[in-house]
Amino acid sequence: AFDLSPDGRTLAYMVNEEGYSKVLLKDVATGALLAAPKLPLGVLTGLGFSPDGRKLGLSLSTSTSSGDAWSYGLDDQQLVRWTQSELGGLDPARLVEPTLFRFPTFDKRSIPAFIYKPAAKAGEKLPVIIQIHGGPEGQEQPNFNPRRQSWVNEVGAAVIIPNVRGSTGYGKTYLDLDNGPKREDSVKDIGALLDWVATQPDLDASRVAIVGQSYGGYMSLAVAAHYNARIAGAIDLYGISNWTTFLQNTEGYRRDLRRVEYGDERDPKMKAVFDKISPVFMSERMKKPMMVYQGANDPRVPQSESEQMVAKLRAQGTDVWYVLAKDEGHGVSKKQNVEAVRTTEIMFLKKVLGVP
């Protein structure tokens, strides 16, 4: 995002650096960079000049604040926080700041991720929750996220949010690394993350759960198939289980756009790839407990994607918790449904991770 001062002399713009937001100020006439604010670690959601052009207004979300208004004076170079947004009863002192790290993957690339950790007792190894974003052109960022914080506080888990290949924020080459037939390369990145977890002295590699929604739901299912022995359980929220049926049944307004990213199921060669990598055809490998959530009115990932996966898993005896919201679309937004789904997640995660 950017804004030009009313007099046209100063350009303010924000940059995404490894998920964190940074503000830069530039003199339009000379191109010289000007003194700019050093922001708290977080994510900007907006910026704009005051009418006189001497102050810059900012909206900032951090891991411990849900979104506040700040201003920066171009003359005095003072950064001022104007609001203290309420947190709905949460104790800010119990909220955790994540740490950015990178881990090596199969093709020598370095994959970025954030980790949230509770305070561990001496000699105790933490269970791990790996949450994979959707998109796949999304990006995990260190903004306010009470769901992750609840996993840290209520489950006592270390929460890792990776930005596997295909994520935005790291350039066009990185964005295209998972396109079409390269789809499972992003799954291999999670395999490399499991390798990294196993090398950490304070993380318990025998107690790892995978969580993902939408495209991340596909990733959860794929990880449950390829790395079944290395996880304790998985949560798939409205994920893709069969690439061919997904592309055939997703709403028409988005089908061609998705074919550009995933491949065209009408192409016999691509159809053969889909038959090989679709989780529904690998269900026999999925032995660990699974939670599946679906909105019945989802136009993007239809209910049939979850139904066919659940049916396969239950037929083979895999333990499945299936949550269907009859009044939701792509996601979960109504308060009573959010509470039901998030509570079920906590119960499931505590069970599979062996947390009292």
Side-chain angles (χ1 to χ4, degrees), residues 293-337:
Y293 162 77
Q294 178 70 48
N297 305 314
D298 192 336
R300 299 186 185 187
V301 182
Q303 180 181 344
S304 54
E305 288 300 303
S306 290
E307 296 280 345
Q308 61 194 7
M309 194 73 245
V310 169
K312 273 257 190 174
L313 292 171
R314 285 181 170 169
Q316 69 189 33
T318 299
D319 182 19
V320 181
W321 297 22
Y322 184 35
V323 181
L324 176 66
K326 296 182 179 180
D327 55 350
E328 292 283 0
H330 191 69
V332 52
S333 58
K334 296 184 178 179
K335 186 173 186 295
Q336 67 272 22
N337 294 335

Side-chain angles (χ1 to χ4, degrees), residues 242-258:
N242 183 329
W243 287 107
T244 298
T245 58
F246 159 70
L247 288 166
Q248 290 172 342
N249 296 325
T250 192
E251 284 292 341
Y253 71 86
R254 63 193 307 274
R255 186 174 296 119
D256 287 340
L257 175 65
R258 293 295 80 195

